[in-house]
Short mmCIF file of all heavy atoms in Angstrom, two decimals:
data_model
loop_
_atom_site.label_atom_id
_atom_site.label_comp_id
_atom_site.label_asym_id
_atom_site.label_seq_id
_atom_site.Cartn_x
_atom_site.Cartn_y
_atom_site.Cartn_z
N MET A 1 -55.87 18.47 39.55
CA MET A 1 -57.01 17.56 39.72
C MET A 1 -57.66 17.80 41.06
O MET A 1 -57.08 18.41 41.93
CB MET A 1 -56.53 16.12 39.53
CG MET A 1 -56.57 15.23 40.73
SD MET A 1 -55.21 15.34 41.88
CE MET A 1 -53.78 15.15 40.87
N ARG A 2 -58.85 17.35 41.21
CA ARG A 2 -59.50 17.51 42.50
C ARG A 2 -60.49 16.37 42.72
O ARG A 2 -60.95 15.76 41.78
CB ARG A 2 -60.24 18.84 42.59
CG ARG A 2 -61.35 18.97 41.58
CD ARG A 2 -62.19 20.19 41.85
NE ARG A 2 -61.40 21.42 41.97
CZ ARG A 2 -61.93 22.62 42.08
NH1 ARG A 2 -63.22 22.77 42.07
NH2 ARG A 2 -61.18 23.68 42.18
N SER A 3 -60.74 16.13 43.98
CA SER A 3 -61.75 15.15 44.33
C SER A 3 -63.08 15.87 44.52
O SER A 3 -63.12 16.97 45.07
CB SER A 3 -61.38 14.43 45.62
OG SER A 3 -60.22 13.67 45.45
N VAL A 4 -64.12 15.27 44.05
CA VAL A 4 -65.44 15.86 44.23
C VAL A 4 -66.35 14.86 44.92
O VAL A 4 -66.16 13.65 44.83
CB VAL A 4 -66.05 16.29 42.89
CG1 VAL A 4 -65.20 17.36 42.22
CG2 VAL A 4 -66.25 15.11 41.96
N ALA A 5 -67.35 15.37 45.58
CA ALA A 5 -68.26 14.52 46.32
C ALA A 5 -69.45 14.09 45.47
O ALA A 5 -70.35 13.44 45.95
CB ALA A 5 -68.74 15.24 47.57
N GLY A 6 -69.41 14.44 44.21
CA GLY A 6 -70.54 14.13 43.34
C GLY A 6 -71.28 15.40 43.00
O GLY A 6 -71.42 16.29 43.83
N SER A 7 -71.73 15.49 41.77
CA SER A 7 -72.35 16.73 41.30
C SER A 7 -73.86 16.61 41.20
O SER A 7 -74.50 17.41 40.56
CB SER A 7 -71.75 17.11 39.94
OG SER A 7 -71.87 16.05 39.04
N GLY A 8 -74.40 15.59 41.82
CA GLY A 8 -75.84 15.45 41.80
C GLY A 8 -76.29 14.33 40.88
O GLY A 8 -75.52 13.86 40.06
N PRO A 9 -77.52 13.91 41.05
CA PRO A 9 -78.03 12.78 40.25
C PRO A 9 -78.35 13.20 38.83
O PRO A 9 -78.41 14.37 38.49
CB PRO A 9 -79.30 12.40 41.02
CG PRO A 9 -79.76 13.67 41.65
CD PRO A 9 -78.50 14.43 41.98
N GLY A 10 -78.54 12.21 38.01
CA GLY A 10 -79.04 12.46 36.67
C GLY A 10 -77.98 12.66 35.62
O GLY A 10 -78.28 12.84 34.45
N LYS A 11 -76.71 12.58 36.01
CA LYS A 11 -75.66 12.76 35.02
C LYS A 11 -74.58 11.72 35.25
O LYS A 11 -74.18 11.48 36.38
CB LYS A 11 -75.08 14.16 35.13
CG LYS A 11 -74.18 14.52 33.97
CD LYS A 11 -73.82 15.99 34.02
CE LYS A 11 -72.99 16.38 32.80
NZ LYS A 11 -72.63 17.80 32.83
N GLY A 12 -74.12 11.13 34.20
CA GLY A 12 -73.08 10.11 34.31
C GLY A 12 -71.84 10.52 33.55
O GLY A 12 -71.89 11.36 32.67
N TYR A 13 -70.76 9.90 33.91
CA TYR A 13 -69.48 10.16 33.25
C TYR A 13 -68.84 8.84 32.90
O TYR A 13 -69.04 7.84 33.58
CB TYR A 13 -68.55 10.92 34.19
CG TYR A 13 -69.12 12.22 34.72
CD1 TYR A 13 -69.61 12.30 36.00
CD2 TYR A 13 -69.15 13.35 33.91
CE1 TYR A 13 -70.14 13.49 36.50
CE2 TYR A 13 -69.68 14.53 34.38
CZ TYR A 13 -70.17 14.60 35.67
OH TYR A 13 -70.69 15.77 36.14
N ARG A 14 -68.01 8.85 31.88
CA ARG A 14 -67.27 7.64 31.54
C ARG A 14 -65.85 7.75 32.10
O ARG A 14 -65.13 8.68 31.78
CB ARG A 14 -67.23 7.42 30.03
CG ARG A 14 -66.59 6.09 29.66
CD ARG A 14 -66.74 5.77 28.18
NE ARG A 14 -68.14 5.61 27.78
CZ ARG A 14 -68.84 4.47 27.93
NH1 ARG A 14 -68.27 3.41 28.46
NH2 ARG A 14 -70.08 4.40 27.54
N CYS A 15 -65.51 6.80 32.92
CA CYS A 15 -64.19 6.79 33.54
C CYS A 15 -63.15 6.30 32.53
O CYS A 15 -63.31 5.22 31.97
CB CYS A 15 -64.24 5.87 34.76
SG CYS A 15 -62.64 5.48 35.44
N PRO A 16 -62.12 7.09 32.27
CA PRO A 16 -61.10 6.67 31.30
C PRO A 16 -60.21 5.54 31.82
O PRO A 16 -59.48 4.94 31.04
CB PRO A 16 -60.29 7.95 31.04
CG PRO A 16 -60.50 8.78 32.25
CD PRO A 16 -61.87 8.42 32.81
N GLY A 17 -60.29 5.28 33.10
CA GLY A 17 -59.47 4.22 33.66
C GLY A 17 -60.01 2.82 33.35
O GLY A 17 -59.26 1.91 33.05
N CYS A 18 -61.32 2.68 33.43
CA CYS A 18 -61.93 1.36 33.24
C CYS A 18 -62.97 1.38 32.13
O CYS A 18 -63.55 0.36 31.81
CB CYS A 18 -62.54 0.88 34.55
SG CYS A 18 -63.92 1.88 35.11
N ASP A 19 -63.23 2.55 31.56
CA ASP A 19 -64.16 2.69 30.45
C ASP A 19 -65.59 2.29 30.83
O ASP A 19 -66.34 1.79 30.02
CB ASP A 19 -63.67 1.89 29.25
CG ASP A 19 -64.23 2.46 27.94
OD1 ASP A 19 -64.49 3.67 27.90
OD2 ASP A 19 -64.38 1.70 26.97
N GLN A 20 -65.91 2.52 32.09
CA GLN A 20 -67.26 2.24 32.57
C GLN A 20 -67.96 3.55 32.91
O GLN A 20 -67.32 4.51 33.34
CB GLN A 20 -67.21 1.37 33.83
CG GLN A 20 -66.48 0.06 33.67
CD GLN A 20 -67.29 -0.92 32.85
OE1 GLN A 20 -68.47 -1.13 33.09
NE2 GLN A 20 -66.66 -1.54 31.87
N LEU A 21 -69.26 3.55 32.73
CA LEU A 21 -70.02 4.72 33.15
C LEU A 21 -70.16 4.73 34.66
O LEU A 21 -70.29 3.69 35.29
CB LEU A 21 -71.41 4.71 32.51
CG LEU A 21 -71.46 5.13 31.05
CD1 LEU A 21 -72.88 4.96 30.53
CD2 LEU A 21 -71.02 6.57 30.88
N MET A 22 -70.13 5.92 35.20
CA MET A 22 -70.27 6.08 36.64
C MET A 22 -71.29 7.17 36.90
O MET A 22 -71.34 8.16 36.16
CB MET A 22 -68.90 6.44 37.20
CG MET A 22 -68.84 7.67 38.04
SD MET A 22 -67.21 7.90 38.69
CE MET A 22 -66.46 8.73 37.31
N PRO A 23 -72.12 6.99 37.91
CA PRO A 23 -73.10 8.03 38.25
C PRO A 23 -72.41 9.29 38.74
O PRO A 23 -71.43 9.21 39.47
CB PRO A 23 -73.92 7.39 39.39
CG PRO A 23 -73.55 5.95 39.43
CD PRO A 23 -72.21 5.83 38.79
N GLY A 24 -72.92 10.42 38.32
CA GLY A 24 -72.31 11.68 38.72
C GLY A 24 -72.41 11.94 40.20
O GLY A 24 -71.64 12.71 40.75
N ALA A 25 -73.37 11.31 40.83
CA ALA A 25 -73.57 11.54 42.26
C ALA A 25 -72.54 10.81 43.11
O ALA A 25 -72.42 11.06 44.30
CB ALA A 25 -74.97 11.10 42.67
N GLN A 26 -71.80 9.91 42.48
CA GLN A 26 -70.81 9.13 43.22
C GLN A 26 -69.55 9.97 43.44
O GLN A 26 -69.11 10.67 42.52
CB GLN A 26 -70.47 7.90 42.39
CG GLN A 26 -69.40 7.02 42.97
CD GLN A 26 -69.22 5.78 42.09
OE1 GLN A 26 -70.17 5.25 41.55
NE2 GLN A 26 -68.01 5.34 41.94
N PRO A 27 -68.96 9.90 44.62
CA PRO A 27 -67.69 10.61 44.83
C PRO A 27 -66.64 10.08 43.87
O PRO A 27 -66.50 8.88 43.68
CB PRO A 27 -67.33 10.27 46.29
CG PRO A 27 -68.63 9.93 46.94
CD PRO A 27 -69.46 9.27 45.84
N HIS A 28 -65.90 10.99 43.25
CA HIS A 28 -64.92 10.57 42.26
C HIS A 28 -63.86 11.66 42.11
O HIS A 28 -63.89 12.67 42.81
CB HIS A 28 -65.60 10.25 40.93
CG HIS A 28 -66.32 11.41 40.29
ND1 HIS A 28 -67.57 11.80 40.69
CD2 HIS A 28 -65.95 12.25 39.30
CE1 HIS A 28 -67.95 12.84 39.94
NE2 HIS A 28 -66.98 13.15 39.10
N VAL A 29 -62.94 11.44 41.18
CA VAL A 29 -61.85 12.37 40.96
C VAL A 29 -62.02 13.02 39.59
O VAL A 29 -62.32 12.35 38.61
CB VAL A 29 -60.49 11.62 41.02
CG1 VAL A 29 -59.34 12.56 40.65
CG2 VAL A 29 -60.27 11.05 42.42
N VAL A 30 -61.84 14.32 39.56
CA VAL A 30 -61.88 15.06 38.31
C VAL A 30 -60.47 15.53 37.97
O VAL A 30 -59.80 16.11 38.81
CB VAL A 30 -62.84 16.26 38.40
CG1 VAL A 30 -62.89 17.01 37.08
CG2 VAL A 30 -64.24 15.80 38.79
N ALA A 31 -60.03 15.23 36.76
CA ALA A 31 -58.69 15.63 36.34
C ALA A 31 -58.76 16.23 34.95
O ALA A 31 -59.60 15.84 34.14
CB ALA A 31 -57.76 14.42 36.35
N TRP A 32 -57.85 17.17 34.66
CA TRP A 32 -57.83 17.78 33.33
C TRP A 32 -56.41 18.17 32.98
O TRP A 32 -55.58 18.39 33.86
CB TRP A 32 -58.76 18.99 33.27
CG TRP A 32 -58.47 20.03 34.32
CD1 TRP A 32 -57.57 21.05 34.22
CD2 TRP A 32 -59.08 20.14 35.62
NE1 TRP A 32 -57.59 21.79 35.38
CE2 TRP A 32 -58.49 21.26 36.24
CE3 TRP A 32 -60.06 19.41 36.29
CZ2 TRP A 32 -58.86 21.65 37.53
CZ3 TRP A 32 -60.42 19.80 37.57
CH2 TRP A 32 -59.83 20.91 38.18
N PRO A 33 -56.12 18.23 31.68
CA PRO A 33 -54.79 18.67 31.26
C PRO A 33 -54.55 20.11 31.70
O PRO A 33 -55.49 20.92 31.74
CB PRO A 33 -54.85 18.59 29.72
CG PRO A 33 -56.02 17.71 29.42
CD PRO A 33 -56.98 17.89 30.56
N GLN A 34 -53.31 20.39 32.00
CA GLN A 34 -52.97 21.72 32.47
C GLN A 34 -53.36 22.78 31.43
O GLN A 34 -53.03 22.67 30.26
CB GLN A 34 -51.46 21.78 32.73
CG GLN A 34 -51.06 22.95 33.59
CD GLN A 34 -49.65 22.78 34.15
OE1 GLN A 34 -48.83 22.16 33.53
NE2 GLN A 34 -49.40 23.34 35.31
N GLY A 35 -54.10 23.76 31.86
CA GLY A 35 -54.51 24.84 30.99
C GLY A 35 -55.74 24.53 30.16
O GLY A 35 -56.19 25.36 29.38
N ARG A 36 -56.31 23.33 30.34
CA ARG A 36 -57.49 22.97 29.56
C ARG A 36 -58.59 22.44 30.47
O ARG A 36 -58.95 21.27 30.41
CB ARG A 36 -57.13 21.92 28.52
CG ARG A 36 -56.17 22.45 27.48
CD ARG A 36 -55.83 21.38 26.44
NE ARG A 36 -57.03 20.92 25.76
CZ ARG A 36 -57.05 19.83 24.99
NH1 ARG A 36 -55.97 19.09 24.82
NH2 ARG A 36 -58.16 19.49 24.38
N PRO A 37 -59.12 23.28 31.30
CA PRO A 37 -60.13 22.84 32.28
C PRO A 37 -61.40 22.33 31.62
O PRO A 37 -62.17 21.60 32.25
CB PRO A 37 -60.39 24.09 33.13
CG PRO A 37 -59.96 25.24 32.27
CD PRO A 37 -58.83 24.71 31.44
N ASP A 38 -61.64 22.69 30.37
CA ASP A 38 -62.83 22.19 29.69
C ASP A 38 -62.70 20.73 29.26
O ASP A 38 -63.68 20.09 28.89
CB ASP A 38 -63.13 23.05 28.46
CG ASP A 38 -63.61 24.45 28.85
OD1 ASP A 38 -64.02 24.64 30.00
OD2 ASP A 38 -63.55 25.34 27.99
N ASP A 39 -61.48 20.25 29.28
CA ASP A 39 -61.22 18.89 28.81
C ASP A 39 -61.06 17.93 29.98
O ASP A 39 -60.24 17.03 29.96
CB ASP A 39 -59.96 18.91 27.94
CG ASP A 39 -59.85 17.63 27.10
OD1 ASP A 39 -60.88 16.97 26.88
OD2 ASP A 39 -58.73 17.30 26.69
N ARG A 40 -61.86 18.16 30.98
CA ARG A 40 -61.69 17.37 32.19
C ARG A 40 -62.29 15.97 32.04
O ARG A 40 -63.17 15.73 31.24
CB ARG A 40 -62.26 18.08 33.40
CG ARG A 40 -63.74 18.36 33.35
CD ARG A 40 -64.12 19.21 34.56
NE ARG A 40 -65.54 19.49 34.60
CZ ARG A 40 -66.11 20.54 34.03
NH1 ARG A 40 -65.38 21.41 33.36
NH2 ARG A 40 -67.41 20.72 34.11
N ARG A 41 -61.77 15.08 32.88
CA ARG A 41 -62.19 13.68 32.89
C ARG A 41 -62.62 13.31 34.30
O ARG A 41 -62.07 13.80 35.27
CB ARG A 41 -61.04 12.77 32.47
CG ARG A 41 -60.54 13.00 31.06
CD ARG A 41 -61.50 12.44 30.03
NE ARG A 41 -60.97 12.61 28.68
CZ ARG A 41 -61.24 13.66 27.91
NH1 ARG A 41 -62.00 14.62 28.36
NH2 ARG A 41 -60.73 13.75 26.71
N HIS A 42 -63.55 12.40 34.35
CA HIS A 42 -64.08 11.96 35.64
C HIS A 42 -63.67 10.51 35.86
O HIS A 42 -64.00 9.64 35.06
CB HIS A 42 -65.60 12.11 35.65
CG HIS A 42 -66.05 13.53 35.47
ND1 HIS A 42 -66.49 14.31 36.52
CD2 HIS A 42 -66.09 14.32 34.38
CE1 HIS A 42 -66.79 15.52 36.07
NE2 HIS A 42 -66.57 15.55 34.77
N TRP A 43 -62.95 10.29 36.91
CA TRP A 43 -62.39 8.98 37.22
C TRP A 43 -63.03 8.42 38.49
O TRP A 43 -63.30 9.17 39.43
CB TRP A 43 -60.89 9.09 37.50
CG TRP A 43 -60.01 9.54 36.39
CD1 TRP A 43 -59.95 10.79 35.84
CD2 TRP A 43 -59.03 8.76 35.71
NE1 TRP A 43 -58.99 10.80 34.86
CE2 TRP A 43 -58.40 9.58 34.76
CE3 TRP A 43 -58.61 7.43 35.84
CZ2 TRP A 43 -57.38 9.11 33.93
CZ3 TRP A 43 -57.59 6.97 35.01
CH2 TRP A 43 -57.00 7.80 34.07
N HIS A 44 -63.17 7.09 38.53
CA HIS A 44 -63.40 6.47 39.82
C HIS A 44 -62.18 6.75 40.70
O HIS A 44 -61.05 6.77 40.20
CB HIS A 44 -63.55 4.95 39.68
CG HIS A 44 -64.77 4.52 38.92
ND1 HIS A 44 -64.72 3.95 37.68
CD2 HIS A 44 -66.09 4.60 39.25
CE1 HIS A 44 -65.96 3.67 37.27
NE2 HIS A 44 -66.80 4.06 38.20
N THR A 45 -62.42 6.93 41.96
CA THR A 45 -61.31 7.20 42.87
C THR A 45 -60.28 6.07 42.81
O THR A 45 -59.07 6.30 42.78
CB THR A 45 -61.84 7.36 44.30
OG1 THR A 45 -62.83 8.39 44.32
CG2 THR A 45 -60.73 7.76 45.25
N ALA A 46 -60.76 4.84 42.76
CA ALA A 46 -59.86 3.69 42.73
C ALA A 46 -59.08 3.65 41.41
O ALA A 46 -57.89 3.32 41.40
CB ALA A 46 -60.66 2.40 42.91
N CYS A 47 -59.75 3.98 40.31
CA CYS A 47 -59.08 3.96 39.01
C CYS A 47 -58.02 5.05 38.95
O CYS A 47 -56.95 4.86 38.38
CB CYS A 47 -60.09 4.16 37.90
SG CYS A 47 -61.23 2.77 37.75
N TRP A 48 -58.31 6.18 39.52
CA TRP A 48 -57.34 7.27 39.54
C TRP A 48 -56.11 6.85 40.33
O TRP A 48 -54.98 7.08 39.92
CB TRP A 48 -57.97 8.52 40.15
CG TRP A 48 -57.00 9.64 40.30
CD1 TRP A 48 -56.37 10.04 41.42
CD2 TRP A 48 -56.53 10.50 39.24
NE1 TRP A 48 -55.54 11.10 41.15
CE2 TRP A 48 -55.61 11.40 39.82
CE3 TRP A 48 -56.81 10.60 37.87
CZ2 TRP A 48 -54.96 12.38 39.07
CZ3 TRP A 48 -56.16 11.58 37.12
CH2 TRP A 48 -55.25 12.46 37.72
N SER A 49 -56.33 6.20 41.46
CA SER A 49 -55.22 5.75 42.29
C SER A 49 -54.38 4.70 41.57
O SER A 49 -53.17 4.62 41.76
CB SER A 49 -55.75 5.15 43.60
OG SER A 49 -56.44 6.14 44.34
N ALA A 50 -55.02 3.92 40.73
CA ALA A 50 -54.35 2.79 40.07
C ALA A 50 -53.86 3.15 38.67
O ALA A 50 -53.28 2.30 38.00
CB ALA A 50 -55.31 1.60 39.99
N ARG A 51 -54.07 4.36 38.22
CA ARG A 51 -53.79 4.70 36.82
C ARG A 51 -52.33 4.48 36.45
O ARG A 51 -52.01 4.11 35.32
CB ARG A 51 -54.22 6.12 36.51
CG ARG A 51 -53.30 7.17 37.09
CD ARG A 51 -53.97 8.53 37.10
NE ARG A 51 -53.05 9.55 37.58
CZ ARG A 51 -52.67 9.69 38.84
NH1 ARG A 51 -53.13 8.87 39.77
NH2 ARG A 51 -51.82 10.64 39.19
N GLY A 52 -51.41 4.73 37.42
CA GLY A 52 -50.00 4.54 37.13
C GLY A 52 -49.62 3.10 36.91
O GLY A 52 -48.71 2.79 36.14
N ARG A 53 -50.36 2.20 37.56
CA ARG A 53 -50.07 0.78 37.44
C ARG A 53 -50.73 0.17 36.22
O ARG A 53 -50.18 -0.67 35.55
CB ARG A 53 -50.55 0.04 38.70
CG ARG A 53 -49.59 0.19 39.86
CD ARG A 53 -50.12 -0.52 41.10
NE ARG A 53 -51.08 0.32 41.81
CZ ARG A 53 -52.21 -0.13 42.33
NH1 ARG A 53 -52.54 -1.38 42.23
NH2 ARG A 53 -53.02 0.69 42.97
N ARG A 54 -51.95 0.62 35.96
CA ARG A 54 -52.72 -0.05 34.91
C ARG A 54 -52.68 0.69 33.59
O ARG A 54 -52.96 0.11 32.55
CB ARG A 54 -54.19 -0.17 35.34
CG ARG A 54 -54.34 -0.98 36.61
CD ARG A 54 -55.76 -1.47 36.76
NE ARG A 54 -56.74 -0.43 36.37
CZ ARG A 54 -58.04 -0.57 36.57
NH1 ARG A 54 -58.51 -1.65 37.11
NH2 ARG A 54 -58.87 0.38 36.22
N GLY A 55 -52.38 1.97 33.62
CA GLY A 55 -52.47 2.75 32.40
C GLY A 55 -53.92 3.04 32.06
O GLY A 55 -54.83 2.71 32.82
N VAL A 56 -54.11 3.66 30.91
CA VAL A 56 -55.46 4.04 30.49
C VAL A 56 -55.90 3.15 29.34
O VAL A 56 -55.17 2.95 28.37
CB VAL A 56 -55.47 5.52 30.06
CG1 VAL A 56 -56.83 5.90 29.50
CG2 VAL A 56 -55.11 6.42 31.24
N LYS A 57 -57.09 2.63 29.47
CA LYS A 57 -57.69 1.80 28.44
C LYS A 57 -56.81 0.61 28.06
O LYS A 57 -56.61 0.30 26.90
CB LYS A 57 -58.02 2.64 27.20
CG LYS A 57 -59.19 3.58 27.46
CD LYS A 57 -59.63 4.26 26.19
CE LYS A 57 -60.87 5.13 26.46
NZ LYS A 57 -61.32 5.82 25.28
N VAL A 58 -56.25 -0.02 29.04
CA VAL A 58 -55.51 -1.25 28.81
C VAL A 58 -56.47 -2.42 29.00
O VAL A 58 -57.11 -2.54 30.03
CB VAL A 58 -54.33 -1.38 29.80
CG1 VAL A 58 -53.66 -2.74 29.66
CG2 VAL A 58 -53.32 -0.28 29.53
N HIS A 59 -56.55 -3.21 27.99
CA HIS A 59 -57.45 -4.35 28.07
C HIS A 59 -56.72 -5.53 28.68
O HIS A 59 -55.63 -5.87 28.27
CB HIS A 59 -57.99 -4.70 26.69
CG HIS A 59 -58.88 -3.63 26.15
ND1 HIS A 59 -60.18 -3.45 26.55
CD2 HIS A 59 -58.62 -2.63 25.28
CE1 HIS A 59 -60.70 -2.41 25.91
NE2 HIS A 59 -59.78 -1.89 25.14
N ARG A 60 -57.37 -6.11 29.66
CA ARG A 60 -56.66 -7.11 30.45
C ARG A 60 -56.44 -8.42 29.70
O ARG A 60 -55.65 -9.24 30.12
CB ARG A 60 -57.42 -7.37 31.74
CG ARG A 60 -58.81 -7.92 31.51
CD ARG A 60 -59.42 -8.42 32.80
NE ARG A 60 -59.13 -7.55 33.95
CZ ARG A 60 -59.51 -7.82 35.19
NH1 ARG A 60 -60.17 -8.92 35.44
NH2 ARG A 60 -59.24 -7.01 36.18
N SER A 61 -57.11 -8.60 28.60
CA SER A 61 -56.98 -9.86 27.89
C SER A 61 -55.55 -10.08 27.39
O SER A 61 -55.10 -11.21 27.24
CB SER A 61 -57.95 -9.91 26.70
OG SER A 61 -57.69 -8.87 25.82
N LYS A 62 -54.86 -8.98 27.15
CA LYS A 62 -53.51 -9.08 26.60
C LYS A 62 -52.58 -9.89 27.50
O LYS A 62 -51.81 -10.72 27.04
CB LYS A 62 -52.95 -7.68 26.39
CG LYS A 62 -51.59 -7.67 25.73
CD LYS A 62 -51.14 -6.22 25.50
CE LYS A 62 -49.74 -6.19 24.90
NZ LYS A 62 -49.28 -4.81 24.75
N ASN A 63 -52.67 -9.58 28.79
CA ASN A 63 -51.75 -10.23 29.72
C ASN A 63 -52.47 -11.22 30.66
O ASN A 63 -51.90 -11.64 31.64
CB ASN A 63 -51.03 -9.18 30.55
CG ASN A 63 -50.09 -8.36 29.70
OD1 ASN A 63 -49.41 -8.89 28.84
ND2 ASN A 63 -50.06 -7.06 29.93
N ALA A 64 -53.68 -11.52 30.34
CA ALA A 64 -54.44 -12.41 31.20
C ALA A 64 -53.86 -13.82 31.16
O ALA A 64 -53.47 -14.31 30.10
CB ALA A 64 -55.90 -12.43 30.78
N PRO A 65 -53.81 -14.44 32.31
CA PRO A 65 -53.33 -15.83 32.34
C PRO A 65 -54.32 -16.74 31.65
O PRO A 65 -55.52 -16.52 31.66
CB PRO A 65 -53.22 -16.15 33.83
CG PRO A 65 -54.17 -15.20 34.49
CD PRO A 65 -54.17 -13.96 33.64
N ARG A 66 -53.81 -17.77 31.05
CA ARG A 66 -54.69 -18.73 30.38
C ARG A 66 -54.88 -19.94 31.28
O ARG A 66 -53.95 -20.45 31.87
CB ARG A 66 -54.07 -19.19 29.06
CG ARG A 66 -54.15 -18.14 27.98
CD ARG A 66 -53.38 -18.57 26.76
NE ARG A 66 -53.53 -17.55 25.70
CZ ARG A 66 -54.17 -17.80 24.54
NH1 ARG A 66 -54.71 -18.98 24.32
NH2 ARG A 66 -54.26 -16.87 23.63
N TYR A 67 -56.09 -20.39 31.31
CA TYR A 67 -56.40 -21.56 32.10
C TYR A 67 -56.79 -22.70 31.15
O TYR A 67 -57.54 -22.50 30.22
CB TYR A 67 -57.55 -21.28 33.07
CG TYR A 67 -57.18 -20.21 34.09
CD1 TYR A 67 -57.61 -18.92 33.94
CD2 TYR A 67 -56.34 -20.54 35.16
CE1 TYR A 67 -57.25 -17.95 34.86
CE2 TYR A 67 -55.99 -19.57 36.08
CZ TYR A 67 -56.45 -18.28 35.93
OH TYR A 67 -56.10 -17.32 36.84
N GLY A 68 -56.31 -23.86 31.44
CA GLY A 68 -56.64 -25.02 30.62
C GLY A 68 -55.75 -25.06 29.42
O GLY A 68 -55.98 -25.80 28.50
ZN1 ZN B 1 -63.11 3.52 36.61
#
């Protein structure tokens, strides 16, 4: 994986950590399966750092506390 400073405006990526679109110009982390550089993913830096704790595509409603 590698960190990138952004690949320029006009292109967005979907972060697999939070499932949100992110501007390509934003600094972020690019990761790909070993031997498959074409299958790379673009992560928010924070999501990449937190991926071990949160997992991928975990919806918070499952474990969200209930109020009232
Ligand atoms: Zn994200």
Side-chain angles (χ1 to χ4, degrees):
M1 114 278 308
R2 62 171 52 173
S3 295
V4 298
S7 54
K11 191 171 184 180
Y13 304 103
R14 186 171 296 277
C15 168
C18 65
D19 205 29
Q20 302 287 312
L21 283 175
M22 127 176 84
Q26 177 177 324
H28 62 280
V29 174
V30 180
W32 55 87
Q34 197 164 29
R36 295 180 59 192
D38 290 342
D39 196 22
R40 62 186 182 270
R41 297 285 183 268
H42 299 258
W43 296 70
H44 294 111
T45 304
C47 293
W48 176 259
S49 298
R51 74 196 184 287
R53 281 178 278 138
R54 300 199 319 188
V56 175
K57 289 188 176 179
V58 174
H59 294 282
R60 62 169 40 183
S61 60
K62 184 177 177 183
N63 292 320
R66 286 173 177 246
Y67 296 101

